[in-house]
Amino acid sequence: MYRLQAEHLYKVFGADPEDGVRRLEAGAGRDELRESGTTAAVIDASFDVREGEIFVVMGLSGSGKSTLLRTLNGLNPPTAGRVLFDGRDLTALSPRELRRVRSHGISMVFQHFALFPHRSVLQNAAYGLEVQGVGRREREERATRALELTGLSGWGDSWPDELSGGMQQRVGLARALATDADVLLMDESFSALDPLIRRDMQDQLLELQRSLKKTIVFITHDLNEAMRLGDRVAVMRDGRIVQIGTPEDILLRPADDYVSSFVHDVDRSRVLTAGTVMEPPRRPDAGDCRCETVAPRTPLADVLQVSARVPHPVAVRDQAGEVVGVIAKERLLAALGDHDGPVTPCTGDTAHAAPPAAAPGVPAQPRKEAASA
Amino acid sequence: MPRLPLGDWTDSAVTYLRDHFGPLFDVISAVVSGMYDGLDAVLQAPAPLLLAGILAVLALWLRGLTAGVLAFAGLAVVVSVQQWDEAMDTLSLVLVATVITIVLAVPLGIWSARNRTVSAALRPVLDFMQTMPAFVYLIPGIFFFGVGQVPGIIATIVFSLPPGVRMTELGIRQVDEELVEAAEAFGTAPRSTLLRVQLPLALPTIMAGVNQVIMLALSMVVISGMVGGGGLGASVFTAISQVDIGLGFEAGLSVVILAMYLDRVTGALGTRVSPLGRRAMAAAASPRGTRLWKYRPQTSVAVVGIVALALTAGGMGVLGGGDEKAAVPEADDVGKGRQVDIGYIPWDEGIASTYLWKELLERRGYEPKVTQYDVGALYTGMSAGRVDFETDSWLPVTHRSYWEKYKNELDDYGSWYGPTSLELTVPSYVKGIDSLADLKGKGKQFGGRIIGIEPGAGMMKMLNDTVLKKYGLEGEYQVTTGSTASMLAQLDRSMKAKEPVVVTLWSPHWAYSEHSLKKLKDPLGAWGKGDGIHTLARNGFAGDEPKVAKWLRDFRLSEKELTGLEGAVHKAGQGHEQDGVRDWLDAHPGLTDRLAPVG
Ligand SMILES: Nc1ncnc2c1ncn2[C@@H]1O[C@H](COP(=O)(O)OP(=O)(O)O)[C@@H](O)[C@H]1O
Ligand SMILES: [Mg+2]
């Protein structure tokens, strides 16, 4: 079930946008258009956003992410192409109907929070409801609830500038949640926050999402964030979408050199999960010992720790407890190092044997004792 | 380069507008002067100190105790230098102009903030309005709106509109675009976005614009005083015309006090009305900040205070009933309360004769209204029928240029005093120069300058065209142009320093009794025969008021009478001219019946 569908969207800024689209369709590049003073911000973008998923659009600054996002709620009508919201063509709506969609169907969270400085936190959270024409009592009740959801109970009477950045963005989130619109557009909503706060907010968003099941289009330029949050990720480059896929798809099967150079710096251990790197169990008794096992969704970073403690390949169990695969240490290292294929044997004169492993249960000699001895 | 007849076009445009849109201008004029009269009536009703108290409570509420006390002290100074009535006239003028300006400027500002084309089209117009010297459109303004407060208010609006528009536009454009986008993203309609987000956030800037508008309006006060705007502007204008430095300072100080009061109060009002300002204020009010001088009454307390004072004021105004005029005996009541508008220029014989006629007409049951004007404004106003008559036209020379221009719309009732004389004058300590002929070859001594007066005065034309030529002084002397006031100030300055100076002067003039001066003889008769002081009236006045016209045609004063009258008026002091006239008339029984016979 698709909530939002984009069909061959173009957005060109300049004196004659339609002409820009014609030239793009005829094969002209972005740079050619720029020479004549027109900016092709979005070029031929098509994608579908499914009910209940977090769809991340990722790309460098200037790649057209914000422009694309603003076509999805009609703030920025596309030069060509269509946007379907629950099957309705947004580009064909009257301004009035469009405003109705915005106040009831699709809400938005901004990069720099965009809180109204002349309204209290509660009034900010209630803004969308005020526009809908909801009565004061109900509006404040619902806004208070939204603030609770985002962990801001008791802050309603404060003013936006009295809050830290993270808290301000929670107000922004509460404002978007209060309207009960079930599609959320988030434009680099966490980019302005400190790294620690950003992680917190990401966790909180994922947590909220588990219970609220909104449909979210999330914009970011941070690949780690994209991988962490996204059920699916679209990578944009110079106005075009170059790849759409799950985070693992993007990481393991980059569509082109651009994407692969992009994913180069990613912390693979946090994106890849046990399920994607496991191999079929070679022995039927793989799960019979009492050693620790992992779930298919466990990120490799956690599998590493388990693997370090277990003397044999780590078993992967599904929810039913069935062993569905195993991960050997070599396999783990290959996945993290982005290496495909078998281990190459040594070719020198002396073949090194593996060093003797410490016996399980015996801790390594503590350094301190060694020093005092 | 062919001469572009821009001036002629403007002239015909003005005439065309007056002829074809007269009713429209009359409506505007009626509305504006109605607003002014209404507000002025309210401000003039209460006793001065009581109203000063009300205004002080307002300051107390908005800014705290210190401001309240200072406001009261400042306003009390205005009362004590006897400029209160004028200050309230000025306040009414400024407030009416400001309200109209804001009503026009804010929507225009909003419009140009939302539409780049409008903004671009408006910019040069605003520049034009702000930089065009006010006098240039003030005089045509009289054509359209008549003399009095209205052209002054209109000129003020023209002058102060640009900052109002600009600050509104700026304020709205300054609002963070992400906030506007946020409003739109939640489905806010454009008009609501304006009301809910843009205007509240632009309010501090808009209020700063309002503040500027008020300050510019105050700066226009003097100029509107020259076209009959009255108030402190007229006081200042009188003072500079008569080189009355003391009065000038008192009136000027009153303008300053008014300006400071309005500035502080509107500034505080800005923080009061804007949500952001209220927040900042709440934040600043720390719990320990409740010291006495920071005390600000609650809104409710302030309202109660103001209402109580206002009620007292209203009650006293009603009970006091104003200053009742002595009833006119039935037999003398020729005028039956009909109004007569007398205009005058602040020259001594003009003031004296004008107030003489005011008193005479009151004694005959008329309701004369006297208004002071700049010369140009007076002639323009009279030709447009807004002034009935004036008694101080020096003809055929001094005011020739005005007479030539307006003679078709005016009637000359003849000369009531004369002959006057025009002359060049030097201080009596300048030795060896007794006649115009003696000036030749002495140009160095006077720095080659003859201190002149208004460039439009007939005397100046005559001096340049005839007198200098006849005595062969061209080239050696330059006639400086300025104003009568600046000429008198220069004379005063030179005499203090005992420097040689030669000025254009005329008799009668009070300068001759003030300073020891020497009129330069005119053996060649270059100045011609002296002017007579004429009474001029608008066309048709004789038909409307044949009796008054007859009195004016028969009006004559001897030199002794005129100097005596001027002396009495001078002694009574500014603001009490009519008392001086009464004293003088009392000392000359029978004069009333000679000048304005009932039979
Ligand atoms: N209103 C506009 N007018 C002209 N160019 C624009 C406008 N908005 C965005 N652009 C241009 O479109 C391109 C994409 O911008 P944007 O969508 O903001 O990128 P991103 O959000 O990925 O950083 C940029 O080159 C930007 O300069
Ligand atoms: Mg962006």
Side-chain angles (χ1 to χ4, degrees), chain A residues 70 75 99 102-103 107-108 110-112 114-118 127-128 130-131 159 161-162 175, chain B residues 176 178-190 192-193 196-197 200-201 275-276 279:
Chain A
R70 278 156 179 68
L75 278 182
R99 285 203 294 272
R102 287 193 208 128
S103 69
S107 55
M108 196 159 174
F110 294 82
Q111 177 170 7
H112 301 289
L115 299 181
F116 302 117
H118 59 300
Y127 183 82
E130 199 178 309
V131 175
W159 293 82
D161 60 3
E162 293 165 357
R175 177 172 64 181
Chain B
D176 188 350
E178 216 186 27
L179 293 182
V180 177
E181 190 167 63
E184 281 174 28
F186 281 92
T188 321
S192 276
T193 304
R196 285 178 207 269
V197 179
L201 292 175
L276 283 176
R279 260 214 61 209

Side-chain angles (χ1 to χ4, degrees), chain A residues 4 6 9 11 41-42 45 47 49 55-57 63-78 83 90 102 106-111 183-189 215-220 236 241, chain B residues 178 181 185:
Chain A
L4 278 171
L9 286 182
K11 181 70 194 185
V42 175
F47 57 89
V49 182
F55 184 85
V56 173
V57 179
S63 57
K65 308 179 298 290
S66 298
T67 311
L68 178 64
L69 189 73
R70 278 156 179 68
T71 58
L72 299 183
N73 66 351
L75 278 182
N76 212 346
V83 177
L90 282 191
R102 287 193 208 128
I106 306 179
S107 55
M108 196 159 174
V109 183
F110 294 82
Q111 177 170 7
V183 175
L184 241 60
L185 306 182
M186 302 180 73
D187 189 357
E188 308 224 13
S189 296
T215 304
I216 300 177
V217 181
F218 192 101
I219 303 281
T220 181
M236 274 189 97
I241 294 182
Chain B
E178 216 186 27
E181 190 167 63

Side-chain angles (χ1 to χ4, degrees), chain B residues 347 375 397-402 452-464 482 484 504 506:
Chain B
W347 291 0
V375 193
V397 178
T398 310
H399 289 154
R400 169 188 285 154
S401 52
Y402 300 107
I453 53 169
E454 288 80 358
M459 176 178 192
M460 293 285 280
K461 192 166 154 50
M462 202 163 176
L463 178 62
N464 279 314
T484 306
T504 52
W506 54 92

